[in-house]
Amino acid sequence: MQTGLQTFVARLAGFTALGDAAALAARLFAAYLFVLEGWGKIGSYADVQSYMAQFGVAPWLLPPVIALEFGGGLALAVGFATRPSALALGIFSLLAALIFHQGADYSEILEFRKDFAIAGGLFALAALGAGGWSLDALVARWLRPTPGPGPADAVLR
């Protein structure tokens, strides 16, 4: 028979798994967008440079953009360096909204709002971390020092 404390701890463990699953889903949904966008920019490199130039963005910025979208998206997917990746992609999303989606028609307004919403989700990932189902968590567990023998162990010898 479980005590009240044991029941409470078991419920908290369930919430942890739910939180880890939600963090994984958030990372994968965001990664899907950025990996595909980065890959698409590689395939239509000249067209993207031309589009960027229409808004006064220097063509030399395209390789770092591709690296950020593709590399940052992959990092989010596996949960590696999640906080800095999410922060960088969130800032990128805000800049994309401000530079490329200032039009007055409804589709541009929608793109602007969407980029702000994506940035909000990414900032939440940056603040809360990757969750337990990630390389970040695996590395943290691996780097955590193993407890050595304590004073009580000396008494038992």
Side-chain angles (χ1 to χ4, degrees), residues 23-34:
L24 174 64
R27 290 191 343 258
L28 290 176
F29 290 149
Y32 172 76
L33 172 71
F34 287 105

Side-chain angles (χ1 to χ4, degrees), residues 73-96:
L74 289 177
L76 284 182
V78 298
F80 179 73
T82 302
R83 290 177 191 258
S85 297
L87 180 62
L89 287 167
I91 293 168
F92 172 80
S93 295
L94 291 178
L95 290 173

Side-chain angles (χ1 to χ4, degrees), residues 14-32 72-83 86 121-137:
F15 288 134
T16 300
L18 181 61
D20 290 340
L24 174 64
R27 290 191 343 258
L28 290 176
F29 290 149
Y32 172 76
L74 289 177
L76 284 182
V78 298
F80 179 73
T82 302
R83 290 177 191 258
L122 289 165
F123 292 150
L125 274 175
L128 300 173
W133 301 345
S134 66
L135 285 180
D136 287 343

Side-chain angles (χ1 to χ4, degrees), residues 2-139:
Q2 284 188 332
T3 67
L5 180 60
Q6 289 170 329
T7 302
F8 178 73
V9 169
R11 286 188 180 157
L12 282 181
F15 288 134
T16 300
L18 181 61
D20 290 340
L24 174 64
R27 290 191 343 258
L28 290 176
F29 290 149
Y32 172 76
L33 172 71
F34 287 105
V35 168
L36 287 182
E37 285 296 315
W39 186 256
K41 285 176 177 61
I42 294 169
S44 56
Y45 195 89
D47 292 338
V48 175
Q49 276 188 323
S50 175
Y51 178 75
M52 289 169 60
Q54 292 175 17
F55 293 90
V57 178
W60 65 266
L61 287 171
L62 184 54
V65 165
I66 291 170
L68 176 61
E69 286 187 318
F70 192 74
L74 289 177
L76 284 182
V78 298
F80 179 73
T82 302
R83 290 177 191 258
S85 297
L87 180 62
L89 287 167
I91 293 168
F92 172 80
S93 295
L94 291 178
L95 290 173
L98 294 170
I99 294 169
F100 297 106
H101 302 300
Q102 288 291 319
D105 65 31
Y106 182 72
S107 65
E108 287 300 320
I109 293 169
L110 187 61
E111 290 291 326
F112 182 88
R113 291 175 181 166
K114 179 189 63 151
D115 282 351
F116 263 66
I118 291 167
L122 289 165
F123 292 150
L125 274 175
L128 300 173
W133 301 345
S134 66
L135 285 180
D136 287 343
L138 183 66
V139 168

